[in-house]
């Protein structure tokens, strides 16, 4: 009985460890960033682009723990047919304003709301690089804590 309970706890623990909440609405993300005083990690992607970010970095336990403690996760799929044209245009304008030329790409920025106006402070891009999550997290930390 004890062994079965331990196995169940192990699987449930690993499930919760790997669960992440990626926001897809920039307005919600901005509010969360402003209230929690944490930067946004915006992941720009589209259909047909490489999934290496997802599999080698975002899908790892190291990234899950790091992101939970350091950033607000935002995933903007520029090919998502379920979002309105207004939201698509907003996302493309943000991508262009941040200087993102190729997808997929991750960007760190601070968002704040003062007197009803949103301002962004672009901290930097954190491109995919082979080698796994630890190296990528190190690069992100250098941007967050220069």
């Amino acid at each position: 009985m004890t062994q079965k309970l331990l196995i169940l706890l192990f699987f449930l623990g690993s499930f919760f460890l790997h669960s992440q909440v990626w926001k897809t609405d920039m307005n919600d993300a901005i509010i969360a960033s402003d209230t929690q005083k944490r930067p946004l990690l915006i992941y720009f992607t589209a259909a047909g682009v490489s999934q290496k970010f997802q599999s080698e970095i975002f899908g790892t336990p190291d990234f899950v723990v790091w992101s939970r403690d350091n950033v607000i996760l935002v995933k903007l799929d520029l090919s998502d047919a379920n979002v309105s044209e207004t939201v698509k245009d907003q996302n493309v304008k943000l991508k262009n304003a941040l200087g993102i030329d190729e997808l997929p790409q991750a960007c760190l920025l601070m968002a704040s709301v003062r007197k009803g106006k949103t301002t962004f402070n672009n901290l930097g891009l954190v491109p995919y690089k082979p080698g796994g999550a630890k190296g990528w997290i190190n690069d992100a930390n250098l941007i967050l804590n220069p």
Side-chain angles (χ1 to χ4, degrees):
M1 178 69 176
T2 305
Q3 185 179 11
K4 288 181 182 179
L5 183 59
L6 287 174
I7 291 170
L8 178 64
L9 287 174
F10 172 76
F11 283 115
L12 287 175
S14 65
F15 171 75
F16 287 113
L17 177 65
H18 291 309
S19 66
Q20 297 172 301
V21 178
W22 287 82
K23 295 186 180 301
T24 56
D25 182 305
M26 274 303 292
N27 294 324
D28 290 344
I30 290 166
I31 292 167
S33 175
D34 191 43
T35 57
Q36 296 177 32
K37 304 295 183 226
R38 290 195 294 166
L40 298 169
L41 186 155
I42 303 175
Y43 175 58
F44 291 93
T45 189
V49 301
S50 172
Q51 294 297 307
K52 289 183 180 181
F53 252 122
Q54 288 291 128
S55 62
E56 295 178 24
I57 297 170
F58 300 153
T60 65
D62 289 331
F63 179 81
V64 172
V65 170
W66 175 84
S67 64
R68 181 188 61 217
D69 297 337
N70 292 285
V71 294
I72 305 296
L73 297 172
V74 184
K75 182 177 181 180
L76 299 180
D77 185 340
L78 301 178
S79 63
D80 187 351
N82 296 322
V83 298
S84 70
E85 286 300 316
T86 304
V87 172
K88 279 185 188 179
D89 289 344
Q90 173 187 321
N91 293 345
V92 169
K93 286 178 183 177
L94 179 61
K95 174 186 114 17
N96 294 336
L98 295 171
I100 295 172
D101 296 328
E102 59 184 63
L103 298 177
Q105 183 63 263
C107 178
L108 292 167
L109 63 104
M110 287 298 297
S112 61
V113 181
R114 300 291 175 259
K115 297 181 182 178
K117 296 201 179 221
T118 303
T119 57
F120 295 108
N121 178 15
N122 186 358
L123 303 173
L125 301 177
V126 190
Y128 166 81
K129 76 177 197 182
K134 289 186 183 198
W136 190 91
I137 290 168
N138 186 51
D139 291 348
N141 282 333
L142 290 173
I143 292 172
L144 294 175
N145 307 304

